[in-house]
Amino acid sequence: MTCELHLRLIVSSDSSLPVPVGLRYDTADPYAVHATFHTGAEETVEWVFARDLLAEGLHRPTGTGDVRVWPSRSHGPGVVCIALGSPEGEALLEAPARVLESFLKRTDTAVPPGTEHRHINVENLTNFLNTVRRSND
């Protein structure tokens, strides 16, 4: 399942830029939400978030290190802040809470929280791990 939305990249205390983002959830990867940030005409940046991190961030501050998520009352109604950090830099984004919540509810319908382990294809995981091991040998 997918969701297209616009986040706001916070540039300064009084300036922001729109960033189109595509969210994707695949029941074959039940713990993750994949995000494609469209940063230019043909440029994208890919991030993978823990689904439960995004869900918890709708209600309270969560996350450490490279990804932090929290609801914001000071930045307007219905906003979730997402702070991303990498060796290339840091970004603070604002997401519309209702759109994010709606998307996450659809993922919960497909794979209820706590049942993710039932959706993991062990054969595919074993093949992937064997491929990684062979490439490291």
Side-chain angles (χ1 to χ4, degrees), residues 52-121:
D52 59 350
L53 176 84
L54 293 175
E56 187 174 337
L58 287 168
H59 307 287
R60 68 188 132 284
T62 188
T64 58
D66 294 344
V67 180
R68 293 174 290 121
V69 183
W70 67 94
S72 176
R73 290 170 188 75
S74 62
H75 293 151
V79 173
V80 175
C81 294
I82 302 171
L84 304 176
S86 75
E88 289 80 29
E90 297 180 355
L92 175 59
L93 300 147
E94 292 180 345
R98 280 188 177 166
V99 176
L100 186 58
E101 184 175 30
S102 175
F103 173 74
L104 290 170
K105 282 182 180 179
R106 289 191 297 137
T107 71
D108 290 352
T109 299
V111 178
T115 67
E116 294 90 350
H117 64 282
R118 296 182 194 152
H119 296 269
I120 294 177
N121 184 323

